[in-house]
Amino acid sequence: MPDPSRLPSPPAEAPLDDAAAVSALRSAVMRLSRRLKHQRVDESLSPTEMSVLGTLAGCGSATPGELARKEHVQPPSMTRIVALLEAKGLVRLEPHQEDRRQKVVSPTERAEVMLEESRRKRNAWLSELVGQLSEDEWETLRAAAPVLEKLAHME
């Protein structure tokens, strides 16, 4: 078996033009996102339900209408999602302090524990993959993380 350190390096890939780079980025982000979604602690929750819980954990309590806007779904759909999460004991509904006709959705302690376990599992899975990258690739990915975060929150 030849010594890996003596093998020639693979040829450097030619830089992609802008359209090809955008297409490659979209495809890679979507594929990675789908794979991460499968790294769940509770298989009984849909990816949408997990996303709503994550939004609540990150942004705090919100009305169903605010959650619908943040999650880019119609208010009636969010009302159904919130009802499912409430039935599973993962959110609680409380009267809005200023407008008693509205409800405020908050995650329960059970939801917070489940989200933390899920984050831990996903981080471990992704860390295992990252460990297979070269140091240069990992450095590039580390530098790209803030830019990807910015893209994820742009309108």
PDB file of all heavy atoms in Angstrom, residues 70-95:
ATOM      1  N   LYS A  70     -42.729  34.631  11.556  1.00  0.00           N
ATOM      2  CA  LYS A  70     -41.336  34.189  11.692  1.00  0.00           C
ATOM      3  C   LYS A  70     -41.086  32.868  10.975  1.00  0.00           C
ATOM      4  O   LYS A  70     -39.994  32.631  10.466  1.00  0.00           O
ATOM      5  CB  LYS A  70     -40.958  34.064  13.169  1.00  0.00           C
ATOM      6  CG  LYS A  70     -40.831  35.410  13.847  1.00  0.00           C
ATOM      7  CD  LYS A  70     -40.524  35.279  15.315  1.00  0.00           C
ATOM      8  CE  LYS A  70     -40.452  36.668  15.936  1.00  0.00           C
ATOM      9  NZ  LYS A  70     -40.147  36.650  17.338  1.00  0.00           N
ATOM     10  N   GLU A  71     -42.083  31.999  10.965  1.00  0.00           N
ATOM     11  CA  GLU A  71     -41.941  30.679  10.343  1.00  0.00           C
ATOM     12  C   GLU A  71     -42.406  30.662   8.883  1.00  0.00           C
ATOM     13  O   GLU A  71     -42.334  29.629   8.229  1.00  0.00           O
ATOM     14  CB  GLU A  71     -42.732  29.636  11.140  1.00  0.00           C
ATOM     15  CG  GLU A  71     -42.160  29.343  12.506  1.00  0.00           C
ATOM     16  CD  GLU A  71     -40.827  28.629  12.432  1.00  0.00           C
ATOM     17  OE1 GLU A  71     -40.695  27.659  11.649  1.00  0.00           O
ATOM     18  OE2 GLU A  71     -39.897  29.046  13.141  1.00  0.00           O
ATOM     19  N   HIS A  72     -42.920  31.782   8.398  1.00  0.00           N
ATOM     20  CA  HIS A  72     -43.376  31.902   7.008  1.00  0.00           C
ATOM     21  C   HIS A  72     -44.481  30.898   6.684  1.00  0.00           C
ATOM     22  O   HIS A  72     -44.429  30.201   5.663  1.00  0.00           O
ATOM     23  CB  HIS A  72     -42.205  31.773   6.023  1.00  0.00           C
ATOM     24  CG  HIS A  72     -41.110  32.751   6.288  1.00  0.00           C
ATOM     25  ND1 HIS A  72     -41.208  34.085   5.961  1.00  0.00           N
ATOM     26  CD2 HIS A  72     -39.910  32.608   6.889  1.00  0.00           C
ATOM     27  CE1 HIS A  72     -40.111  34.708   6.328  1.00  0.00           C
ATOM     28  NE2 HIS A  72     -39.304  33.839   6.917  1.00  0.00           N
ATOM     29  N   VAL A  73     -45.464  30.818   7.586  1.00  0.00           N
ATOM     30  CA  VAL A  73     -46.651  29.994   7.341  1.00  0.00           C
ATOM     31  C   VAL A  73     -47.885  30.858   7.577  1.00  0.00           C
ATOM     32  O   VAL A  73     -47.808  31.933   8.176  1.00  0.00           O
ATOM     33  CB  VAL A  73     -46.700  28.732   8.247  1.00  0.00           C
ATOM     34  CG1 VAL A  73     -45.515  27.827   8.009  1.00  0.00           C
ATOM     35  CG2 VAL A  73     -46.813  29.101   9.708  1.00  0.00           C
ATOM     36  N   GLN A  74     -49.025  30.385   7.119  1.00  0.00           N
ATOM     37  CA  GLN A  74     -50.275  31.111   7.308  1.00  0.00           C
ATOM     38  C   GLN A  74     -50.741  30.984   8.765  1.00  0.00           C
ATOM     39  O   GLN A  74     -50.522  29.940   9.404  1.00  0.00           O
ATOM     40  CB  GLN A  74     -51.356  30.554   6.374  1.00  0.00           C
ATOM     41  CG  GLN A  74     -51.060  30.788   4.907  1.00  0.00           C
ATOM     42  CD  GLN A  74     -50.983  32.266   4.576  1.00  0.00           C
ATOM     43  OE1 GLN A  74     -51.830  33.062   4.987  1.00  0.00           O
ATOM     44  NE2 GLN A  74     -49.934  32.656   3.858  1.00  0.00           N
ATOM     45  N   PRO A  75     -51.379  32.023   9.312  1.00  0.00           N
ATOM     46  CA  PRO A  75     -51.848  31.964  10.709  1.00  0.00           C
ATOM     47  C   PRO A  75     -52.691  30.739  11.051  1.00  0.00           C
ATOM     48  O   PRO A  75     -52.486  30.142  12.112  1.00  0.00           O
ATOM     49  CB  PRO A  75     -52.624  33.276  10.870  1.00  0.00           C
ATOM     50  CG  PRO A  75     -51.931  34.222   9.922  1.00  0.00           C
ATOM     51  CD  PRO A  75     -51.579  33.361   8.717  1.00  0.00           C
ATOM     52  N   PRO A  76     -53.637  30.307  10.187  1.00  0.00           N
ATOM     53  CA  PRO A  76     -54.403  29.105  10.555  1.00  0.00           C
ATOM     54  C   PRO A  76     -53.507  27.862  10.710  1.00  0.00           C
ATOM     55  O   PRO A  76     -53.756  27.021  11.582  1.00  0.00           O
ATOM     56  CB  PRO A  76     -55.391  28.928   9.404  1.00  0.00           C
ATOM     57  CG  PRO A  76     -55.527  30.289   8.808  1.00  0.00           C
ATOM     58  CD  PRO A  76     -54.178  30.918   8.959  1.00  0.00           C
ATOM     59  N   SER A  77     -52.468  27.762   9.880  1.00  0.00           N
ATOM     60  CA  SER A  77     -51.543  26.639  10.005  1.00  0.00           C
ATOM     61  C   SER A  77     -50.805  26.708  11.332  1.00  0.00           C
ATOM     62  O   SER A  77     -50.619  25.681  12.006  1.00  0.00           O
ATOM     63  CB  SER A  77     -50.513  26.646   8.861  1.00  0.00           C
ATOM     64  OG  SER A  77     -51.155  26.450   7.634  1.00  0.00           O
ATOM     65  N   MET A  78     -50.387  27.906  11.723  1.00  0.00           N
ATOM     66  CA  MET A  78     -49.679  28.054  12.997  1.00  0.00           C
ATOM     67  C   MET A  78     -50.602  27.725  14.158  1.00  0.00           C
ATOM     68  O   MET A  78     -50.164  27.125  15.143  1.00  0.00           O
ATOM     69  CB  MET A  78     -49.100  29.463  13.139  1.00  0.00           C
ATOM     70  CG  MET A  78     -48.266  29.642  14.395  1.00  0.00           C
ATOM     71  SD  MET A  78     -46.915  28.436  14.578  1.00  0.00           S
ATOM     72  CE  MET A  78     -45.877  28.852  13.182  1.00  0.00           C
ATOM     73  N   THR A  79     -51.860  28.109  14.068  1.00  0.00           N
ATOM     74  CA  THR A  79     -52.818  27.787  15.129  1.00  0.00           C
ATOM     75  C   THR A  79     -52.889  26.279  15.320  1.00  0.00           C
ATOM     76  O   THR A  79     -52.889  25.783  16.457  1.00  0.00           O
ATOM     77  CB  THR A  79     -54.206  28.363  14.784  1.00  0.00           C
ATOM     78  OG1 THR A  79     -54.093  29.792  14.679  1.00  0.00           O
ATOM     79  CG2 THR A  79     -55.239  28.022  15.849  1.00  0.00           C
ATOM     80  N   ARG A  80     -52.901  25.511  14.214  1.00  0.00           N
ATOM     81  CA  ARG A  80     -52.935  24.036  14.302  1.00  0.00           C
ATOM     82  C   ARG A  80     -51.635  23.499  14.909  1.00  0.00           C
ATOM     83  O   ARG A  80     -51.659  22.599  15.749  1.00  0.00           O
ATOM     84  CB  ARG A  80     -53.171  23.430  12.922  1.00  0.00           C
ATOM     85  CG  ARG A  80     -54.612  23.532  12.462  1.00  0.00           C
ATOM     86  CD  ARG A  80     -54.874  22.711  11.201  1.00  0.00           C
ATOM     87  NE  ARG A  80     -54.099  23.155  10.035  1.00  0.00           N
ATOM     88  CZ  ARG A  80     -54.443  24.169   9.238  1.00  0.00           C
ATOM     89  NH1 ARG A  80     -55.548  24.853   9.471  1.00  0.00           N
ATOM     90  NH2 ARG A  80     -53.687  24.481   8.209  1.00  0.00           N
ATOM     91  N   ILE A  81     -50.510  24.054  14.482  1.00  0.00           N
ATOM     92  CA  ILE A  81     -49.210  23.595  14.998  1.00  0.00           C
ATOM     93  C   ILE A  81     -49.123  23.854  16.503  1.00  0.00           C
ATOM     94  O   ILE A  81     -48.704  22.983  17.269  1.00  0.00           O
ATOM     95  CB  ILE A  81     -48.054  24.304  14.254  1.00  0.00           C
ATOM     96  CG1 ILE A  81     -48.032  23.862  12.794  1.00  0.00           C
ATOM     97  CG2 ILE A  81     -46.716  24.022  14.938  1.00  0.00           C
ATOM     98  CD1 ILE A  81     -47.183  24.748  11.890  1.00  0.00           C
ATOM     99  N   VAL A  82     -49.540  25.046  16.930  1.00  0.00           N
ATOM    100  CA  VAL A  82     -49.499  25.391  18.354  1.00  0.00           C
ATOM    101  C   VAL A  82     -50.412  24.450  19.146  1.00  0.00           C
ATOM    102  O   VAL A  82     -50.048  23.985  20.230  1.00  0.00           O
ATOM    103  CB  VAL A  82     -49.865  26.878  18.573  1.00  0.00           C
ATOM    104  CG1 VAL A  82     -50.129  27.166  20.046  1.00  0.00           C
ATOM    105  CG2 VAL A  82     -48.757  27.777  18.033  1.00  0.00           C
ATOM    106  N   ALA A  83     -51.586  24.134  18.597  1.00  0.00           N
ATOM    107  CA  ALA A  83     -52.510  23.220  19.285  1.00  0.00           C
ATOM    108  C   ALA A  83     -51.880  21.834  19.444  1.00  0.00           C
ATOM    109  O   ALA A  83     -51.997  21.209  20.509  1.00  0.00           O
ATOM    110  CB  ALA A  83     -53.834  23.129  18.525  1.00  0.00           C
ATOM    111  N   LEU A  84     -51.190  21.355  18.415  1.00  0.00           N
ATOM    112  CA  LEU A  84     -50.505  20.060  18.503  1.00  0.00           C
ATOM    113  C   LEU A  84     -49.407  20.088  19.568  1.00  0.00           C
ATOM    114  O   LEU A  84     -49.269  19.147  20.356  1.00  0.00           O
ATOM    115  CB  LEU A  84     -49.899  19.679  17.149  1.00  0.00           C
ATOM    116  CG  LEU A  84     -50.871  19.271  16.048  1.00  0.00           C
ATOM    117  CD1 LEU A  84     -50.150  19.190  14.696  1.00  0.00           C
ATOM    118  CD2 LEU A  84     -51.513  17.934  16.385  1.00  0.00           C
ATOM    119  N   LEU A  85     -48.618  21.163  19.571  1.00  0.00           N
ATOM    120  CA  LEU A  85     -47.537  21.284  20.556  1.00  0.00           C
ATOM    121  C   LEU A  85     -48.089  21.396  21.977  1.00  0.00           C
ATOM    122  O   LEU A  85     -47.519  20.830  22.907  1.00  0.00           O
ATOM    123  CB  LEU A  85     -46.651  22.488  20.225  1.00  0.00           C
ATOM    124  CG  LEU A  85     -45.807  22.350  18.959  1.00  0.00           C
ATOM    125  CD1 LEU A  85     -45.138  23.675  18.612  1.00  0.00           C
ATOM    126  CD2 LEU A  85     -44.770  21.242  19.116  1.00  0.00           C
ATOM    127  N   GLU A  86     -49.200  22.089  22.119  1.00  0.00           N
ATOM    128  CA  GLU A  86     -49.822  22.209  23.447  1.00  0.00           C
ATOM    129  C   GLU A  86     -50.329  20.843  23.916  1.00  0.00           C
ATOM    130  O   GLU A  86     -50.133  20.463  25.076  1.00  0.00           O
ATOM    131  CB  GLU A  86     -50.963  23.221  23.415  1.00  0.00           C
ATOM    132  CG  GLU A  86     -51.579  23.447  24.788  1.00  0.00           C
ATOM    133  CD  GLU A  86     -52.749  24.416  24.756  1.00  0.00           C
ATOM    134  OE1 GLU A  86     -53.452  24.503  23.738  1.00  0.00           O
ATOM    135  OE2 GLU A  86     -52.960  25.091  25.795  1.00  0.00           O
ATOM    136  N   ALA A  87     -50.942  20.085  23.009  1.00  0.00           N
ATOM    137  CA  ALA A  87     -51.455  18.757  23.356  1.00  0.00           C
ATOM    138  C   ALA A  87     -50.322  17.815  23.772  1.00  0.00           C
ATOM    139  O   ALA A  87     -50.523  16.915  24.590  1.00  0.00           O
ATOM    140  CB  ALA A  87     -52.239  18.168  22.186  1.00  0.00           C
ATOM    141  N   LYS A  88     -49.125  18.038  23.232  1.00  0.00           N
ATOM    142  CA  LYS A  88     -47.961  17.217  23.570  1.00  0.00           C
ATOM    143  C   LYS A  88     -47.223  17.738  24.801  1.00  0.00           C
ATOM    144  O   LYS A  88     -46.206  17.174  25.208  1.00  0.00           O
ATOM    145  CB  LYS A  88     -47.000  17.160  22.376  1.00  0.00           C
ATOM    146  CG  LYS A  88     -47.579  16.424  21.191  1.00  0.00           C
ATOM    147  CD  LYS A  88     -46.651  16.488  19.986  1.00  0.00           C
ATOM    148  CE  LYS A  88     -47.288  15.791  18.791  1.00  0.00           C
ATOM    149  NZ  LYS A  88     -46.427  15.810  17.603  1.00  0.00           N
ATOM    150  N   GLY A  89     -47.734  18.820  25.388  1.00  0.00           N
ATOM    151  CA  GLY A  89     -47.126  19.370  26.598  1.00  0.00           C
ATOM    152  C   GLY A  89     -45.830  20.133  26.345  1.00  0.00           C
ATOM    153  O   GLY A  89     -45.009  20.282  27.253  1.00  0.00           O
ATOM    154  N   LEU A  90     -45.646  20.637  25.121  1.00  0.00           N
ATOM    155  CA  LEU A  90     -44.400  21.314  24.776  1.00  0.00           C
ATOM    156  C   LEU A  90     -44.507  22.836  24.764  1.00  0.00           C
ATOM    157  O   LEU A  90     -43.481  23.523  24.777  1.00  0.00           O
ATOM    158  CB  LEU A  90     -43.890  20.803  23.424  1.00  0.00           C
ATOM    159  CG  LEU A  90     -43.549  19.311  23.425  1.00  0.00           C
ATOM    160  CD1 LEU A  90     -43.287  18.813  22.019  1.00  0.00           C
ATOM    161  CD2 LEU A  90     -42.356  19.043  24.339  1.00  0.00           C
ATOM    162  N   VAL A  91     -45.735  23.349  24.707  1.00  0.00           N
ATOM    163  CA  VAL A  91     -45.942  24.793  24.825  1.00  0.00           C
ATOM    164  C   VAL A  91     -47.136  25.031  25.746  1.00  0.00           C
ATOM    165  O   VAL A  91     -47.966  24.152  25.957  1.00  0.00           O
ATOM    166  CB  VAL A  91     -46.196  25.493  23.459  1.00  0.00           C
ATOM    167  CG1 VAL A  91     -45.014  25.348  22.520  1.00  0.00           C
ATOM    168  CG2 VAL A  91     -47.483  25.019  22.804  1.00  0.00           C
ATOM    169  N   ARG A  92     -47.184  26.237  26.273  1.00  0.00           N
ATOM    170  CA  ARG A  92     -48.358  26.649  27.057  1.00  0.00           C
ATOM    171  C   ARG A  92     -48.859  27.960  26.468  1.00  0.00           C
ATOM    172  O   ARG A  92     -48.076  28.764  25.951  1.00  0.00           O
ATOM    173  CB  ARG A  92     -48.029  26.772  28.530  1.00  0.00           C
ATOM    174  CG  ARG A  92     -47.043  27.852  28.888  1.00  0.00           C
ATOM    175  CD  ARG A  92     -46.750  27.894  30.403  1.00  0.00           C
ATOM    176  NE  ARG A  92     -45.536  28.635  30.639  1.00  0.00           N
ATOM    177  CZ  ARG A  92     -44.309  28.153  30.553  1.00  0.00           C
ATOM    178  NH1 ARG A  92     -44.122  26.890  30.242  1.00  0.00           N
ATOM    179  NH2 ARG A  92     -43.262  28.909  30.757  1.00  0.00           N
ATOM    180  N   LEU A  93     -50.146  28.147  26.553  1.00  0.00           N
ATOM    181  CA  LEU A  93     -50.782  29.371  26.078  1.00  0.00           C
ATOM    182  C   LEU A  93     -51.233  30.180  27.280  1.00  0.00           C
ATOM    183  O   LEU A  93     -51.847  29.638  28.202  1.00  0.00           O
ATOM    184  CB  LEU A  93     -51.990  29.049  25.193  1.00  0.00           C
ATOM    185  CG  LEU A  93     -51.680  28.326  23.886  1.00  0.00           C
ATOM    186  CD1 LEU A  93     -52.957  27.896  23.200  1.00  0.00           C
ATOM    187  CD2 LEU A  93     -50.876  29.227  22.972  1.00  0.00           C
ATOM    188  N   GLU A  94     -50.910  31.459  27.240  1.00  0.00           N
ATOM    189  CA  GLU A  94     -51.313  32.358  28.323  1.00  0.00           C
ATOM    190  C   GLU A  94     -51.950  33.597  27.706  1.00  0.00           C
ATOM    191  O   GLU A  94     -51.635  33.952  26.564  1.00  0.00           O
ATOM    192  CB  GLU A  94     -50.090  32.746  29.153  1.00  0.00           C
ATOM    193  CG  GLU A  94     -49.437  31.534  29.815  1.00  0.00           C
ATOM    194  CD  GLU A  94     -48.048  31.839  30.365  1.00  0.00           C
ATOM    195  OE1 GLU A  94     -47.405  32.807  29.899  1.00  0.00           O
ATOM    196  OE2 GLU A  94     -47.619  31.101  31.254  1.00  0.00           O
ATOM    197  N   PRO A  95     -52.814  34.268  28.442  1.00  0.00           N
ATOM    198  CA  PRO A  95     -53.423  35.489  27.902  1.00  0.00           C
ATOM    199  C   PRO A  95     -52.362  36.564  27.646  1.00  0.00           C
ATOM    200  O   PRO A  95     -51.403  36.697  28.399  1.00  0.00           O
ATOM    201  CB  PRO A  95     -54.382  35.951  29.003  1.00  0.00           C
ATOM    202  CG  PRO A  95     -54.543  34.781  29.917  1.00  0.00           C
ATOM    203  CD  PRO A  95     -53.322  33.940  29.773  1.00  0.00           C
TER     204      PRO A  95
END
